[in-house]
């Protein structure tokens, strides 16, 4: 397999009979994913499918909420 730059990884995965995929060990290690961790799946017909650790989305949501509440205070 080709060596990718630090922090990058590309591979193919197959969808199993129950609709499951296996996240490669290298990717699980890259993102410190453990058994039982939650991921957010985002899908867009034009742009494809993306997975993000729930903690990333939680941080994003908190930042958006903070900006929104600060905007409401300025009114």
């Amino acid at each position: 397999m080709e060596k990718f730059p630090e922090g990058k990884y590309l591979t193919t995965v197959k969808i199993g009979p129950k609709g499951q995929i296996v996240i490669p060990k290298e990717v699980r290690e890259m993102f410190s994913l453990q058994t039982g961790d939650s991921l957010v799946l985002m899908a867009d017909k034009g742009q494809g499918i993306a997975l993000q650790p729930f903690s990333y989305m939680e941080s994003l949501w908190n930042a958006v909420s903070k900006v929104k509440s600060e905007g409401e205070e300025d009114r």
Side-chain angles (χ1 to χ4, degrees), residues 12-33:
T12 59
V13 296
K14 289 186 180 181
I15 300 173
K18 293 183 179 181
Q20 298 169 319
I21 63 168
V22 173
I23 300 170
K25 180 181 179 186
E26 295 86 350
V27 175
R28 294 192 315 266
E29 289 175 349
M30 185 185 302
F31 289 94
S32 300
L33 297 174

Side-chain angles (χ1 to χ4, degrees), residues 14-69:
K14 289 186 180 181
I15 300 173
K18 293 183 179 181
Q20 298 169 319
I21 63 168
V22 173
I23 300 170
K25 180 181 179 186
E26 295 86 350
V27 175
R28 294 192 315 266
E29 289 175 349
M30 185 185 302
F31 289 94
S32 300
L33 297 174
Q34 303 294 320
T35 301
D37 285 355
S38 293
L39 299 174
V40 175
L41 184 141
M42 297 172 280
D44 180 283
K45 276 195 160 198
Q47 295 186 11
I49 299 170
L51 290 171
Q52 288 288 341
F54 181 77
S55 59
Y56 171 82
M57 296 305 294
E58 187 176 36
S59 297
L60 177 63
W61 179 259
N62 290 338
V64 168
S65 295
K66 181 179 178 186
V67 169
K68 183 179 176 188
S69 66

Side-chain angles (χ1 to χ4, degrees), residues 66-75:
K66 181 179 178 186
V67 169
K68 183 179 176 188
S69 66
E70 287 174 355
E72 291 172 354
E73 291 173 5
D74 292 340
R75 290 185 205 174

